[in-house]
Amino acid sequence: MRLYQDIMKKGNSRDYRISPSDETDGVAIDTFMINGVGISTKGKGGLSRSATNISIRDLEKPIPPKSITTIDVKWSVIIPKETRIRMGAYNDSTLYVAYWYPQVAVYDDIDGWDMNEYGGAVEFYNDKNNYDFEITVPKKFLVWATGTYQNLHEVVKPEIYSRYKEAQESDGVIRIVREEDLKNGATTDKEKNVWKFKADEVPDISFATSSGYVWDGIGAEIDAAGKKVFTDAVYPTKSKGWDEVAYYAKLSVENLSKVWPGVPFPYPKITTFNGETMGGGGMEIPMMTNNGMSFTAAGQAGVTMHEIAHTYFPFYMGINERKYAWMEEGWATFFTSALLKNLVPGADEFTGNILGVGRQMGNEFDTPMILPSIATRGQMLGFNSYAKASISYYVLKDILGDELFKKALHEYINRWNGKHPIPWDFFFTFNDVAKEDLSWFWNPWYFERGFPDLAIKSVKVKRGNAEIIVEKVGSVPVPVDLIVTYADTTTENIHKSTALWKTGNKEVKINLKMKKEIQKVELNTKLVPDADSKNNVFELKKK
C-alpha cells in the first residue's frame, strides 16, 4: 500500500526541497485491520514501511484470489501549508487534498506489485475503483470532489441548489455561488455539514473545500445525441480571467469528445479548481483539476484543456505514469496543441514544442523515452514527457494521415483502456491497424539518442523545373516542410510526409514546376524540429 504523504516525513528521500515547517513524522496510523484482524507493527504479519510504501508481510491467513477482503485503516495526515506538491492549504479557509489516503498498490503482470516510491516528480499508477465517501466540514465551507454529489440539496441553500441544477443543462455559464452568497453563507446553518460523493470506475479521488471561493457551471455536449457533462470552475474573485474558465472547460470537453481524441468524455463531470492563484501550472485528478492563474487567455485556456485532457491519458487508460510519463503527458500536450485555437483564436502551443525539440533532442542530457520516468531526473524528464512525446505523435500522424491515425488511436483506446498498456501495446496496436511495421519510426523516436536535422543540399533549376534535394542529416525522421520564396517575394509552401524516409534513404528529391523565378528555398522550422539552422536555407544566385 502507498502512504503518499510520507514524502513529508523528516529525513525521507524526495525529488524536491520542502519547507522545514512542512516536515512531519509522516502518515500516522492508529489502526490497521485486515478482515477484522489487527495487524501489529512488529513480528509475523507486521507492517514494513519504506519511503512512501507500506507492506503487509506474512499474513496468518492468505487472501485468496477473487475473494472479498475488508481493510480498515484509521490514519491522519497533516496538510502542508508551504510545500504544496499537487495539494495543500492555500490559505486558512481553502484546501485542496489529493494523494492523501492509504492506497492499495497495483499488482500487474509486468512487475508484480508496483514497488516504486513516490518522490514527487513522477505521478501515480492505480487501478480503476468505485468510491463512496463523505467529507465533513464546518458550516460555510463548500466542497467539490471527484464523483457526483449525493446530497447537495441537504447541505446548500435552495437557491444555490437550483442554480446548480440549471447549470448542468445550460449552454451559458451560470454563477452558482456568487460573492454575495459567500457573505450570507451558501450552506445550511448546521455547525458541520457532511458532503456525500460517489465515483465509479476512477483510479483516484481528491477533494477541495473553501469558504471563500465562488462557483460557476455550464453543460458540455459530448455526442450527437446531446448527452451532457457538467463542467464547473471554482476560484477566488481576485483571480483574473477565471470567470471564463468554466466556458474554457466546456469547450475543452466538447473538443476532446468530438475532435481529438474524438471519444465521448467518460465521466459525468469535471471541476477546475484554482489552487495557486499565481502561475499557470496545473494538476489533474479524475473529475478534478487544481490549476493556477495564467496572465493570458491562451495560457488559461491551455492549462484548462491540458489538465482536462488527462481524463483520457492516464485515467481512462490506466497509464503507469511512474514508468512512462510520456504515455500520458505527451497525449495531453498533443491534444492541447491541436485544439487550443478552437478555444482562443490565434493561440499557439505547437510552435514552442517544435522549437524545443529542435534545440534539445540529442543533447548530452537527452535520454530515450523508453527509459522509465522514475529513472529520469531534472529538465529532461519534463522534456521527454511533454514536448518530445507530443511531437512524436504529431510526426506519427503525419506518416499515417489523420484518418488512419485516428482509427489506430481509437483502437488503442478501445483495446487497452483500464488494462494498463505499456509502450509495446501502443506500438503494436498502431502497427496492427496501419498493417505496417513502423519500427523505422519507433526506434529513433523512442529507443535511440538521435536528433532531427534536415538540410537543403541543393536546388537546381532547368527548363522551368526546380529539383530540390533534401538531406536527412540527423537520425530522427521528420516531415519535409519547405518555404519557396520567389523573386517577387511571394511564397509557396511544400509539404512531404515523414514516410519519405521509411526505406532508410538519406536524401529525397522534390521536383517543382516553377511558376516564376526562385529566390530561395528554406525549411519551415515552425512545423519541423531541426537541430542545425545553418543548413536550412539555399539561396539561388541571381542570373
Side-chain angles (χ1 to χ4, degrees):
M1 298 183 72
R2 296 157 179 157
L3 304 177
Y4 289 111
Q5 291 311 308
D6 269 357
I7 192 176
M8 295 296 178
K9 190 174 182 179
K10 294 172 185 174
N12 219 341
S13 60
R14 58 183 73 92
D15 299 323
Y16 306 120
R17 293 180 62 187
I18 68 170
S19 169
S21 64
D22 285 326
E23 282 193 326
T24 69
D25 292 326
V27 179
I29 295 179
D30 177 81
T31 303
F32 199 110
M33 296 191 297
I34 296 180
N35 291 328
V37 178
I39 305 297
S40 66
T41 58
K42 297 178 182 179
K44 187 177 177 65
L47 304 178
S48 172
R49 292 176 73 160
S50 54
T52 56
N53 291 332
I54 182 169
S55 299
I56 302 94
R57 303 185 183 280
D58 301 322
L59 289 174
E60 293 182 9
K61 278 190 174 183
I63 299 174
K66 300 181 181 179
S67 63
I68 294 174
T69 297
T70 301
I71 301 175
D72 293 293
V73 186
K74 184 178 180 181
W75 85 101
S76 62
V77 297
I78 296 173
I79 307 300
K81 288 185 177 180
E82 296 180 31
T83 312
R84 298 187 286 262
I85 303 174
R86 303 188 175 92
M87 56 90 81
Y90 294 98
N91 54 53
D92 290 341
S93 62
T94 305
L95 303 173
Y96 192 99
V97 183
Y99 288 38
W100 52 291
Y101 59 93
Q103 185 183 89
V104 178
V106 173
Y107 188 95
D108 66 28
D109 59 353
I110 304 296
D111 298 314
W113 286 112
D114 172 30
M115 301 292 288
N116 290 315
E117 304 285 356
Y118 173 61
V122 295
E123 297 170 47
F124 85 169
Y125 177 37
N126 204 6
D127 288 314
K128 286 185 180 181
N129 308 291
N130 297 331
Y131 293 87
D132 189 336
F133 60 104
E134 300 177 355
I135 306 295
T136 303
V137 294
K139 67 179 179 181
K140 294 189 177 181
F141 277 76
L142 297 161
V143 180
W144 305 268
T146 302
T148 54
Y149 292 107
Q150 301 301 296
N151 69 330
L152 185 63
H153 61 287
E154 296 176 356
V155 292
V156 298
K157 292 182 176 177
E159 62 270 26
I160 305 301
Y161 184 69
S162 177
R163 292 177 205 151
Y164 165 78
K165 296 295 288 183
E166 181 187 0
Q168 289 183 305
E169 298 297 325
S170 175
D171 293 325
V173 175
I174 302 298
R175 311 297 178 187
I176 300 170
V177 173
R178 305 158 187 176
E179 261 194 291
E180 57 267 29
D181 297 317
L182 297 175
K183 293 174 185 175
N184 300 326
T187 67
T188 68
D189 292 329
K190 296 178 183 176
E191 285 304 308
K192 292 182 180 180
N193 284 306
V194 179
W195 297 64
K196 299 178 181 180
F197 298 88
K198 286 190 74 172
D200 293 336
E201 293 290 299
V202 294
D204 202 357
I205 55 173
S206 66
F207 72 92
T209 183
S210 178
S211 61
Y213 274 35
V214 295
W215 183 15
D216 301 339
I218 187 172
E221 190 176 283
I222 64 169
D223 61 20
K227 183 179 179 181
K228 286 196 171 182
V229 161
F230 181 53
T231 60
D232 55 337
V234 186
Y235 57 97
T237 54
K238 66 181 178 180
S239 288
K240 295 180 180 178
W242 266 76
D243 55 346
E244 296 289 331
V245 168
Y247 185 64
Y248 291 150
K250 166 193 170 72
L251 294 181
S252 296
V253 168
E254 291 179 342
N255 276 271
L256 290 162
S257 297
K258 299 175 182 179
V259 188
W260 291 111
V263 173
F265 198 77
Y267 298 140
K269 52 84 69 171
I270 180 73
T271 297
T272 303
F273 181 86
N274 180 204
E276 301 284 0
T277 53
M278 303 301 289
M283 180 59 207
E284 72 280 359
I285 297 288
M287 298 193 224
M288 294 284 287
T289 69
N290 182 13
N291 295 356
M293 185 182 78
S294 183
F295 299 102
T296 65
Q300 198 66 69
V303 72
T304 300
M305 170 164 275
H306 180 101
E307 304 308 336
I308 292 175
H310 278 300
T311 296
Y312 298 90
F313 297 86
F315 302 137
Y316 186 60
M317 293 297 289
I319 302 296
N320 185 346
E321 300 175 72
R322 297 166 179 245
K323 287 184 74 175
Y324 305 112
W326 58 268
M327 292 182 71
E328 48 97 22
E329 292 292 359
W331 284 113
T333 304
F334 172 84
F335 297 145
T336 304
S337 297
L339 299 172
L340 185 56
K341 62 183 180 295
N342 296 344
L343 276 65
V344 178
D348 178 20
E349 190 179 277
F350 175 73
T351 302
N353 290 329
I354 286 282
L355 297 174
V357 170
R359 283 193 304 268
Q360 297 189 74
M361 197 168 173
N363 73 27
E364 64 180 331
F365 294 105
D366 188 19
T367 55
M369 281 193 281
I370 205 67
L371 182 70
S373 301
I374 198 87
T376 310
R377 289 291 182 269
Q379 180 184 2
M380 299 316 289
L381 171 59
F383 171 63
N384 268 347
S385 304
Y386 295 80
K388 191 202 291 188
S390 70
I391 297 304
S392 77
Y393 301 146
Y394 158 72
V395 173
L396 180 58
K397 181 170 77 74
D398 178 72
I399 293 168
L400 300 179
D402 284 8
E403 185 177 345
L404 183 56
F405 177 81
K406 181 171 279 189
K407 182 181 178 183
L409 177 57
H410 284 184
E411 181 62 20
Y412 173 48
I413 291 171
N414 290 336
R415 275 187 197 179
W416 287 100
N417 83 80
K419 298 176 183 175
H420 306 313
I422 61 173
W424 288 266
D425 301 318
F426 165 52
F427 302 149
F428 294 153
T429 302
F430 271 71
N431 281 355
D432 189 25
V433 174
K435 293 180 171 53
E436 177 184 350
D437 183 354
L438 294 164
S439 296
W440 65 272
F441 164 77
W442 305 126
N443 287 334
W445 270 100
Y446 297 89
F447 292 86
E448 298 170 1
R449 296 188 70 250
F451 57 90
D453 184 36
L454 301 181
I456 310 295
K457 188 175 181 180
S458 65
V459 179
K460 296 178 182 178
V461 176
K462 188 176 182 181
R463 295 175 186 169
N465 290 299
E467 181 186 270
I468 305 168
I469 304 295
V470 179
E471 182 182 5
K472 181 169 170 279
V473 179
S475 62
V476 176
V478 289
V480 176
D481 276 280
L482 303 176
I483 302 172
V484 179
T485 302
Y486 294 101
D488 63 358
T489 71
T490 60
T491 61
E492 179 180 357
N493 296 318
I494 298 173
H495 172 79
K496 298 294 181 182
S497 168
T498 309
L500 286 170
W501 308 112
K502 70 167 61 178
T503 61
N505 50 308
K506 294 296 183 182
E507 291 183 357
V508 293
K509 183 191 299 183
I510 298 171
N511 291 309
L512 175 66
K513 190 170 180 62
M514 292 171 57
K515 300 174 182 177
K516 39 201 159 183
E517 185 182 348
I518 294 176
Q519 180 183 359
K520 66 178 177 179
V521 178
E522 60 187 310
L523 289 166
N524 188 344
T525 52
K526 289 186 177 181
L527 296 177
V528 182
D530 194 88
D532 182 6
S533 62
K534 297 185 183 68
N535 54 20
N536 289 352
V537 181
F538 192 98
E539 297 198 36
L540 280 75
K541 295 179 181 177
K542 291 184 179 180
K543 295 180 180 177

